[in-house]
Amino acid sequence: MNIIKRLYNWVLSWSETKWGPLALFLLALTEASFFPLPPDVLLIALCLGTPKKSFRYSGICLAGTMVGALLAYLLGYFLWQTPDGSYTGLAEWFYAHIFSLETFDEIRVMFEEYDFWIIFTAGFTPVPYKIFTIAAGVFNLDFTMFMIASAISRGARFFLVGGLIWKYGAPIKGFIDKYFNLLVTVLTVLLIGGFFAIKYLF
């Protein structure tokens, strides 16, 4: 926990420098594959510092996460397994430090049933996005669908954060810190639930 706390403080420190936007882009990029902290941490700090630039920062965050999603997909597609199907050293490192093999196998089953909605859920909610971006490449998920689902879900998440701060300023920070994850989870459940209700009723 001390390591995470130090990482958190280090990430926040970038909001006080001129390199904040670049740091936001790189944080969003790396979070899509291995970095443990979500880019929302720095996004919120930058937006609070200059609320009128909130949508610009949200766009930078989205651009970074899309590049990260692309790289993670390619990593999974090209570097995860050898031609004979055995895992590479890179895959073994991820299984040892980022997520378990059991979790990865469970995601394979989810992709077989829900593809788009799994990527959407992972991108919009607190579910670890990085597992799904790499797995999408490993399991050869349709690339176009993967990128569209990522853009919609991550864009909705980051622009929701930016929009709330642009509209309400600093007073909304307490709400975001306390209830944002719950809010996006409920919205996702309602959206996906509504989709399946329409699908099975009509």
Side-chain angles (χ1 to χ4, degrees):
M1 293 303 296
N2 288 334
I3 293 175
I4 296 297
K5 182 65 176 178
R6 286 198 295 269
L7 275 175
Y8 182 87
N9 291 332
W10 176 74
V11 166
L12 283 180
S13 70
W14 286 102
S15 67
E16 302 171 359
T17 74
K18 64 179 181 179
W19 303 108
L22 176 60
L24 178 63
F25 178 88
L26 295 175
L27 175 61
L29 188 158
T30 56
E31 186 270 340
S33 58
F34 69 90
F35 197 74
L37 292 181
D40 309 66
V41 173
L42 184 54
L43 174 62
I44 291 170
L46 287 170
C47 291
L48 286 173
T50 315
K52 66 181 181 180
K53 293 184 178 179
S54 293
F55 292 115
R56 177 191 170 199
Y57 292 138
S58 298
I60 291 172
C61 202
L62 176 59
T65 204
M66 292 305 296
V67 174
L70 169 63
L71 294 177
Y73 185 99
L74 296 176
L75 183 155
Y77 189 84
F78 289 108
L79 301 178
W80 205 253
Q81 294 176 313
T82 60
D84 63 2
S86 60
Y87 294 119
T88 64
L90 180 65
E92 291 176 352
W93 183 87
F94 269 85
Y95 289 142
H97 300 284
I98 307 298
F99 44 73
S100 68
L101 175 59
E102 291 75 19
T103 299
F104 211 66
D105 285 338
E106 289 172 5
I107 292 185
R108 185 207 315 262
V109 177
M110 295 180 188
F111 278 160
E112 290 174 355
E113 291 201 34
Y114 303 114
D115 47 47
F116 176 93
W117 292 107
I118 289 299
I119 295 298
F120 179 89
T121 301
F124 192 58
T125 66
V127 173
Y129 182 55
K130 59 186 68 62
I131 305 176
F132 294 84
T133 55
I134 296 174
V138 174
F139 303 135
N140 198 22
L141 202 68
D142 182 81
F143 178 74
T144 301
M145 183 274 294
F146 165 74
M147 294 299 287
I148 290 173
S150 294
I152 293 172
S153 60
R154 297 302 264 185
R157 179 182 177 96
F158 298 145
F159 278 94
L160 178 58
V161 170
L164 287 172
I165 295 176
W166 175 81
K167 178 70 174 178
Y168 299 105
I172 200 65
K173 183 178 185 299
F175 172 84
I176 292 175
D177 288 341
K178 190 172 184 179
Y179 298 113
F180 185 75
N181 285 342
L182 176 62
L183 173 64
V184 296
T185 300
V186 170
L187 287 174
T188 302
V189 169
L190 291 175
L191 179 63
I192 296 177
F195 170 81
F196 281 106
I198 293 172
K199 177 180 178 180
Y200 287 111
L201 287 176
F202 299 100

